[in-house]
Structure formats: C-alpha cells, structure tokens
Amino acid sequence: MKNFSDLTEQEILALAISNEDEDNRIYRSFADALRGSYPDTAGIYDKMAEEEIGHHDMLLDLYRKKFGDFLPLIRRQDVKGFVTRRPIWLNRPLGLDAVRKFAEEMEFETARFYRRAAQSARDEATRDLLTRLAAAEDKHEKLAQELGEKIAPTARAAEDETARRVFVLQYVQPGLAGLMDGSVSTLAPLFAAAFATHDTWATFLVGLAAAVGAGISMAFAEALSDDGSLTGRGAPVMRGAVCGVMTAIGGLGHTLPYLIPHFHVATAVAFAVVAVELAVISWIRTHYMDTSFLHAAFQVVVGGVLVFAAGILIGIS
C-alpha cells in the first residue's frame, strides 16, 4: 500500500476516476436493491449514480489531456488512509436507514479526499477540478443526510411503513418467538428442579442447560424454516441467531436468580423475573403485532402460568 502523500498527480487522478466508478456502481446497486420496496428513494440513488458518472467523465477527460490513454490501476484499498467500505450493497433486503447512513459517510469521505488531493495538486486545472468536485460531493453528502425530506410525504410514509414491516419480519418476529419459547418452555424444568431439590446451584445448572439447549434448538429451527427469498424474512443465519439468542435470554432471565444461595429468596426473585418477562412479551406483541395489551397478556400469562404450575407440581410430587 502507498501513502497518500507519495502519490503522483497521475496516480491521484487515476484513483479519483476509480473511486467515482466505484461510487456509481454502489449507487446503482442501492437503487436496484431498493426499487421494489422504496421506488422514490431508488430514483434518487439513480440520479446520484448519474452524477458520479459525470464526475468520472470529467476526471477522465482531464487525465487524457495530461497523461494520455493509459490509466494505471490504483484503487482505494491500495492507499493508506482510505476507510474500507463494508459491502452492504450485497445484502438483500437492504435496510433503508443503513443505506442512507452509508451514502452520507461515503460522500463525506470522497469530499475529504478531493480536498486533500487539490491541496497537493500542482497543476491549476487539476486543482480547480478537484475543488469543484469536492463541492459537488458536499452537496451529495447533504442530499444523503436529507434524503427522507426530498421524498414526497406520502411516499416517505409508505417507505417508512415498509421499513417497519421489514424490521418486524426480520428481527421482531424471530426474536419474539425465541423470547416466548425461552421464557415459557424453560419454566417447567427449572421450577421442577427447584422444588424437587431445594438446591439453588443444581437448579441453576438445570435452568442454564435448558436455556442454552432451547437457544440452540430454536436457532436451527428458525434458520432452516425459510430461506427468506419469497417471504422477505431476511437471511436465515441472522434470523436464526436472533431467535436463538433471544431464546437463551428468555430462559436465563429466571435462571440467574438461583445464583443466590438462599432457596426462598432466589425463588421469590425468580417469580418476579417471570412476571417481568411475561409483561415484556405482552408489550412487544402489543407494540409490533397490533394485538391489544389485554389480549396479548391473557394469551401469554395463561400459557406461562400453566407451564409454571406444571413444573411446580412435578417438582413437589
């Protein structure tokens, strides 16, 4: 890799040309990925891509006048100081907020590069072009920051609702399924062990095993249930990870109190934690699943109480 300060003027122009071509392709990728769900935003990225092509052609014309047709291969990853860009455009579906933030950072970095390049340029025409391009990238950065405001309010509202649905499909639903399974299904083995042994450490180990085992099982079940290509539920690995982690968290919540060495104190705390878990699950279902709180609470509490009672009855029998 080369230091920026060691680049020749020819290499700086070649790097700028390569950078503009890359930016154009990134914006095209964003537009292509967003067009189905967010057509207005996709249209803006199409326009930004066209502007990047215009910048590319201006730089290439200047380069040819000064150095001829041979264009050395030099890219951003060949120069120290350039931030490595995560290839988020390869993911499907793309998150709207993530794309907007990425575009803002990309334009800020490009504008900074042009300013530094202009300061080191000796040729007046090169310095003038780089300065103008820095100003153009500043406008792009501002456009990326205000992207939501450039879209008609009705279209923006529709896109926000689509983004919310995608978030619910990809994260809330698998997370909620995991939290419910971890919170409810581990109640029976945990409290059966607690009331059968009155040993807090043994109870903790049973609860830990149940939570971890349930987390692994739910992670694989969710990941293998759907590849997300038709349902839009996202990458199986991500869904499985979200579901598995939330399952383990749901089981660990009422298991951790049994680290307290006093059985009755630990059990009382575990009871309180169970109540909090069921309330959180009811709130999530109300907030994201359009279910009334009383309806959600009734469904969750009834199931939780039945499993809870089964564990205690088995433990004391």
Side-chain angles (χ1 to χ4, degrees):
M1 296 179 69
K2 295 188 69 171
N3 292 316
F4 183 82
S5 58
D6 296 330
L7 296 178
T8 64
E9 188 169 307
Q10 181 182 16
E11 289 173 329
I12 287 175
L13 284 176
L15 177 60
I17 293 168
S18 172
N19 197 57
E20 291 292 348
D21 179 62
E22 181 179 315
D23 289 354
N24 162 67
R25 295 167 71 183
I26 289 174
Y27 284 139
R28 292 291 186 193
S29 297
F30 285 163
D32 179 70
L34 296 174
R35 202 174 314 281
S37 300
Y38 312 106
D40 292 87
T41 297
I44 290 179
Y45 283 121
D46 280 329
K47 293 178 182 178
M48 292 174 72
E50 291 173 3
E51 289 195 28
E52 300 296 354
I53 281 294
H55 298 169
H56 170 276
D57 293 343
M58 292 165 63
L59 287 163
L60 187 60
D61 288 343
L62 177 63
Y63 179 91
R64 284 173 173 163
K65 289 177 182 177
K66 293 178 63 63
F67 302 107
D69 291 331
F70 170 68
L71 188 67
L73 177 61
I74 181 167
R75 300 157 299 180
R76 57 189 304 106
Q77 58 264 37
D78 301 325
V79 180
K80 293 180 181 178
F82 270 103
V83 178
T84 302
R85 291 175 181 164
R86 296 176 295 106
I88 69 169
W89 53 88
L90 297 178
N91 298 327
R92 295 294 188 278
L94 278 176
L96 196 59
D97 290 336
V99 169
R100 288 168 177 164
K101 186 175 185 299
F102 186 95
E104 179 184 339
E105 293 173 350
M106 188 170 76
E107 295 301 331
F108 172 77
E109 181 189 348
T110 303
R112 184 176 57 185
F113 159 64
Y114 281 138
R115 286 196 177 86
R116 288 191 59 193
Q119 291 173 358
S120 62
R122 297 180 180 179
D123 179 72
E124 183 177 350
T126 302
R127 185 166 54 251
D128 177 67
L129 177 58
L130 293 173
T131 300
R132 285 189 287 117
L133 289 177
E137 299 298 341
D138 282 337
K139 293 180 181 178
H140 270 195
E141 181 191 355
K142 186 176 180 182
L143 175 60
Q145 290 173 338
E146 301 174 352
L147 194 53
E149 300 174 8
K150 299 293 183 180
I151 302 171
T154 53
R156 171 65 177 179
E159 291 191 353
D160 287 343
E161 179 58 27
T162 301
R164 181 183 181 276
R165 287 198 300 270
V166 169
F167 176 74
V168 170
L169 279 173
Q170 294 179 5
Y171 298 101
V172 176
Q173 283 189 354
L176 180 60
L179 186 60
M180 291 179 64
D181 185 84
S183 297
V184 176
S185 68
T186 57
L187 289 175
L190 178 76
F191 287 106
F195 283 89
T197 65
H198 283 71
D199 184 329
T200 57
W201 179 246
T203 301
F204 171 76
L205 293 179
V206 170
L208 179 62
V212 173
I216 294 172
S217 175
M218 286 293 287
F220 276 94
E222 178 64 31
L224 296 175
S225 67
D226 176 15
D227 65 4
S229 60
L230 294 178
T231 60
R233 296 176 64 209
V237 173
M238 177 59 70
R239 272 196 349 267
V242 170
C243 187
V245 168
M246 293 307 294
T247 301
I249 289 174
L252 288 173
H254 44 257
T255 297
L256 291 177
Y258 282 98
L259 288 172
I260 301 171
H262 302 289
F263 174 76
H264 293 293
V265 174
T267 302
V269 174
F271 285 179
V273 171
V274 170
V276 171
E277 288 172 349
L278 297 181
V280 169
I281 292 171
S282 299
W283 180 86
I284 293 174
R285 293 192 65 186
T286 301
H287 189 72
Y288 289 104
M289 302 301 176
D290 299 323
T291 305
S292 70
F293 183 79
L294 291 178
H295 188 206
F298 177 78
Q299 292 176 328
V300 172
V301 170
V302 168
V305 168
L306 290 175
V307 176
F308 180 75
I312 294 177
L313 291 174
I314 292 171
I316 63 178
S317 62

